[in-house]
Amino acid sequence: MQPLIKLENINRYYGSGDVIVKALDGVNLEIYPGEFVAIMGQSGSGKSTLMNIMGMLDRASGGSYLVSGKDVSALNADELALLRRDTFGFIFQRYNLLATADASENVQVPALYAGMGSAERRDRAQKLLTDLGIGDRSDHRPNQLSGGQQQRVAVARALMNDPPVLLADEPTGALDSKSSEEVMALLQELNDKGRTVIVITHEEEVAHYAQRQIRIEDGHIISDSGVDKDKRTASAQANANNDHNESSSLTMEAIESAKMALKALRVNIFRTALTLLGIIIGVAAVITMLAIGEGSKQNVLNQISSMGTNLLNIRPGAPGMRPSGDMATLVPSDATAILDQVNNVAYVVPQRSGSKTLRLGNIDDSVTVEGVGVNFPQARDWAIDQGVFFSQDDLKSYASVVVIGATVAENFFPYEDNPVGSFILIGNIPFEIIGVMEAKGAAPWGSDQDDTVWVPYTTSLVRLFGSNYLSGITVKVEDVDLVEQTESDITALLKARHQVEDFSVRNTASFLEMATETQNTLTILLGAVAAISLLVGGIGVMNIMLVSVVERTREIGIRMATGARRRDIMLQFNTEAAVVCTIGGLIGVILGFSAGFGLSLFGVNIAFTAGPAILAFSCAVGTGLLFGYLPARKAAHLDPVVALSSE
Ligand code: ADP
Ligand code: MG
């Protein structure tokens, strides 16, 4: 008959050189199916080391180990995990239950990795717990159970996959004598039903339950009471009935690990919340900030282009000079000359503007008065709402007529539908209102364009400002593609007329360029602030992921001892990371958009673009996955025994 377990000249050394510890030194041992073996020895004699090697939680430094005739030294980590899962159930001195799971869930863990369906798993766990006398405690967490009860849960867990061998390392070490007896009686009963039981102990009373006693001292077996032949034949079939699914389906694994992840996250709710917060703030900040930057940019650009990109503005004063006071360089005949002599000119509008007090009855207000040419509405694409704009005749006759802006109409005629025909005082001179312009809104530089009135420029020069000089000329070009040429033609013409360059010509396209530049700087600034908060959030996530895996190394050990392969562990931690990051990222996206939308209700210009949202979301999820993955990988590559002994 083949031994179930066969150790040949097994060594396990710790350290090297002078400080080498020979925990096991040349151990030879055969254990047959159906035996109840007690391995005894004093503390430090090598009992646990032996059990860990038998249970394949640890690897020997030398010698060969055969399980059912199969050499385990040739197996890789996942093959070991499978063989371990199908052969051994472990019972530890300190129970090694998952603190965050209840009794039933703890018992179910091995079946989870063996691919048993969830309903079947629950039923079987309940049955095992009931058989062991704690069926009414299945929803209790380990810290709500006594030591004896916890050890029963551990026994139930060891039995979950129906393994042929139970390995118990000082199972009664932490129990009072009554609980000890109960647990040992339980193991005895299991052995009677055909299971091989190996118990490690330093107590004689405990060892008496077994048929075979093996003593170990300083890593050597010093005595062995020998194999009980009857026992082993009686139950030889015990290890044959092993028919678990070889592996579970990927979707089921994914669903199970998502469930486990959600559970682990719920248990560590505070930590989860902090991780989420980091991601949420980071992602939301990026989305909102960039939406503000983009919104402000588009707003400015829209306003500038709404003025038309086909306009040239001629101002008095040399290029680059700041306009100051009343600069006497541009005259009305310059405007006429431009219209007559320059190609590609559609309209020329001479302008003379300034601030004046408007008065009507007991209302008075300071507004911008613009003396302009008759083509002002066409040049600026500005429609007239009521009445008419002034004519060439008005211009020639220095007529006291005025066209008022929408804001002015509102301020001075709050109760009247049609101000046309009324008279209003500009300065002290009465003007007849002949038209009202359509509302245009705020200019790119922020001032209200509708808080303006327009009079013939001739009238404004003579009657309002007492001057011969214009404050500007607006030229509308016919073909916007030729605007540069027209600009230089005008410059040349005016230079010839003035002898000096005492004016400057600007086109709206150049405004647009300038504004784009400033706005881009603003967006970059906002983006940088947001990126920093995303980075800080990311560092927080890394930190928490790292701590979480380090803290849970023991849990990883427990899971590996109960049949988890490396990839099961990896899957679990990666799923947790993915779940947190995706939830956090999504909330961040929603929050970012809501914040942006909220701000837009308060009049802030907001323009959402998909780029920042996608970028921030992927950054958050990427960081989480990477820093969930790296430490989890490290932990999954530990030997189970090392993971188990971590605190
Ligand atoms: P027992 O379980 O019989 O009390 P162990 O098998 O735990 O003894 O330990 C046997 C010997 O190996 C002891 O001298 C112990 O100090 C040593 N030992 C156990 N684990 C390690 C380890 N990870 N590193 C170094 N020495 C160890
Ligand atoms: Mg020990």
Side-chain angles (χ1 to χ4, degrees):
M1 173 165 214
Q2 193 182 48
L4 184 59
I5 281 174
K6 183 170 183 180
L7 300 165
E8 272 180 342
N9 206 18
I10 287 286
N11 300 324
R12 179 65 170 101
Y13 300 154
Y14 292 108
S16 60
D18 287 346
V19 291
I20 195 160
V21 176
K22 297 186 171 181
L24 291 179
D25 195 11
V27 170
N28 289 294
L29 180 61
E30 289 181 1
I31 294 174
Y32 288 87
E35 284 198 275
F36 190 164
V37 181
I39 295 173
M40 306 173 62
Q42 290 180 340
S43 177
S45 55
K47 304 184 298 292
S48 295
T49 308
L50 180 58
M51 173 176 126
N52 290 335
I53 286 175
M54 287 197 291
M56 299 181 294
L57 297 173
D58 193 11
R59 286 180 189 260
S61 317
S64 78
Y65 176 31
L66 308 174
V67 175
S68 305
K70 198 176 193 179
D71 191 345
V72 304
S73 61
L75 302 180
N76 67 27
D78 282 355
E79 290 166 336
L80 278 178
L82 268 179
L83 186 61
R84 186 186 315 129
R85 185 188 82 191
D86 291 342
T87 314
F88 298 106
F90 293 92
I91 301 161
F92 301 93
Q93 177 177 355
R94 294 236 134 253
Y95 326 128
N96 275 344
L97 299 177
L98 301 178
T100 55
D102 66 27
S104 170
E105 288 163 337
N106 264 294
V107 175
Q108 290 177 46
V109 171
L112 202 68
Y113 297 120
M116 193 187 283
S118 69
E120 189 188 351
R121 219 162 58 212
R122 241 191 338 270
D123 292 348
R124 179 163 167 76
Q126 187 58 44
K127 184 174 176 302
L128 283 168
L129 287 171
T130 310
D131 287 350
L132 298 184
I134 46 168
D136 54 339
R137 298 298 162 91
S138 58
D139 57 349
H140 287 214
R141 293 252 188 89
N143 62 6
Q144 298 166 319
L145 296 170
S146 75
Q149 288 168 332
Q150 289 186 62
Q151 197 59 299
R152 280 160 200 261
V153 175
V155 173
R157 178 178 63 188
L159 293 172
M160 188 65 188
N161 279 351
D162 199 18
V165 186
L166 287 185
L167 276 176
D169 187 355
E170 312 235 11
T172 61
L175 300 180
D176 57 56
S177 58
K178 184 164 172 292
S179 303
S180 295
E181 279 168 28
E182 283 168 4
V183 167
M184 288 316 293
L186 204 62
L187 293 180
Q188 173 121 59
E189 202 183 309
L190 290 167
N191 175 247
D192 289 342
K193 287 180 188 158
R195 219 170 291 266
T196 311
V197 178
I198 303 170
V199 175
I200 283 166
T201 183
H202 63 270
E203 293 170 84
E204 293 291 340
E205 309 88 85
V206 172
H208 281 313
Y209 284 87
Q211 282 93 41
R212 180 180 174 190
Q213 282 87 19
I214 295 167
R215 283 176 202 279
I216 179 170
E217 207 177 286
D218 292 335
H220 302 283
I221 291 180
I222 53 164
S223 78
D224 185 344
S225 70
V227 182
D228 180 340
K229 302 247 190 306
D230 299 341
K231 192 76 194 174
R232 91 184 192 215
T233 26
S235 53
Q237 82 287 2
N239 73 333
N241 62 350
N242 213 332
D243 57 348
H244 299 302
N245 305 345
E246 264 310 288
S247 64
S248 42
S249 80
L250 207 67
T251 37
M252 195 180 120
E253 275 179 40
I255 292 170
E256 284 303 333
S257 35
K259 272 196 216 157
M260 257 195 284
L262 281 174
K263 185 161 172 53
L265 298 174
R266 255 209 317 278
V267 170
N268 277 315
I269 191 79
F270 190 59
R271 175 194 295 167
T272 309
L274 286 179
T275 315
L276 283 175
L277 201 65
I279 301 176
I280 292 170
I281 292 176
V283 171
V286 168
I287 293 176
T288 315
M289 293 290 207
L290 291 182
I292 292 174
E294 190 62 29
S296 138
K297 174 175 161 182
Q298 283 185 8
N299 181 45
V300 170
L301 296 190
N302 283 345
Q303 282 174 340
I304 291 179
S305 36
S306 77
M307 289 176 13
T309 47
N310 47 4
L311 295 183
L312 289 170
N313 284 299
I314 306 159
R315 302 265 162 230
M321 199 179 126
R322 285 177 65 86
S324 62
D326 194 8
M327 275 183 294
T329 66
L330 287 178
V331 291
S333 59
D334 287 333
T336 324
I338 291 169
L339 187 60
D340 292 346
Q341 294 170 41
V342 179
N343 289 328
N344 192 34
V345 168
Y347 302 104
V348 176
V349 181
Q351 267 167 287
R352 172 72 228 194
S353 10
S355 202
K356 287 278 171 194
T357 303
L358 233 61
R359 195 171 291 128
L360 179 82
N362 57 1
I363 310 174
D364 60 60
D365 193 13
S366 169
V367 303
T368 306
V369 177
E370 284 189 5
V372 292
V374 291
N375 294 125
F376 175 83
Q378 294 91 324
R380 291 287 307 274
D381 284 321
W382 200 335
I384 297 147
D385 188 30
Q386 289 173 316
V388 294
F389 208 73
F390 40 81
S391 63
Q392 203 67 43
D393 287 345
D394 294 327
L395 221 65
K396 281 195 185 127
S397 63
Y398 301 89
S400 298
V401 290
V402 63
V403 176
I404 64 177
T407 306
V408 175
E410 219 169 86
N411 289 345
F412 284 86
F413 301 95
Y415 308 115
E416 268 167 73
D417 283 346
N418 192 354
V420 173
S422 306
F423 281 81
I424 194 163
L425 292 176
I426 304 180
N428 288 319
I429 304 162
F431 277 73
E432 184 188 355
I433 299 173
I434 59 166
V436 180
M437 300 298 278
E438 257 182 10
K440 192 94 166 179
W445 45 90
S447 64
D448 181 4
Q449 300 182 89
D450 300 318
D451 201 12
T452 308
V453 299
W454 295 268
V455 298
Y457 75 89
T458 48
T459 318
S460 81
L461 285 175
V462 173
R463 308 187 64 172
L464 293 176
F465 299 112
S467 155
N468 289 322
Y469 297 99
L470 298 175
S471 52
I473 300 172
T474 301
V475 177
K476 181 169 188 170
V477 298
E478 266 163 357
D479 184 351
V480 74
D481 291 339
L482 303 176
V483 69
E484 310 263 317
Q485 182 58 44
T486 314
E487 189 176 339
S488 57
D489 288 351
I490 291 173
T491 310
L493 173 72
L494 292 183
K495 240 175 170 170
R497 286 173 60 85
H498 294 197
Q499 314 297 330
V500 284
E501 195 168 347
D502 54 2
F503 59 90
S504 65
V505 187
R506 271 260 180 89
N507 63 46
T508 0
S510 71
F511 274 126
L512 217 59
E513 245 163 60
M514 244 170 53
T516 309
E517 235 165 72
T518 353
Q519 291 299 321
N520 280 345
T521 316
L522 177 75
T523 307
I524 288 170
L525 224 96
L526 290 173
V529 171
I532 288 170
S533 60
L534 189 62
L535 186 73
V536 171
I539 292 172
V541 174
M542 287 175 210
N543 192 15
I544 288 169
M545 290 285 174
L546 205 75
V547 169
S548 149
V549 178
V550 169
E551 237 185 49
R552 291 166 68 190
T553 305
R554 221 165 88 89
E555 177 193 328
I556 292 172
I558 296 172
R559 289 183 184 280
M560 290 200 284
T562 52
R565 287 157 297 176
R566 279 178 182 169
R567 59 167 232 218
D568 295 317
I569 302 290
M570 296 294 303
L571 186 67
Q572 183 194 343
F573 278 85
N574 287 335
T575 312
E576 268 179 43
V579 168
V580 181
C581 294
T582 313
I583 293 177
L586 284 179
I587 298 179
V589 169
I590 294 170
L591 193 75
F593 279 101
S594 318
F597 185 71
L599 285 173
S600 74
L601 292 182
F602 287 99
V604 179
N605 290 298
I606 298 289
F608 291 116
T609 41
I614 293 170
L615 190 76
F617 184 78
S618 352
C619 275
V621 173
T623 317
L625 284 184
L626 188 67
F627 286 89
Y629 172 78
L630 291 179
R633 203 179 89 107
K634 196 170 146 236
H637 277 72
L638 292 176
D639 274 329
V641 67
V642 177
L644 269 173
S645 60
S646 107
E647 276 308 317

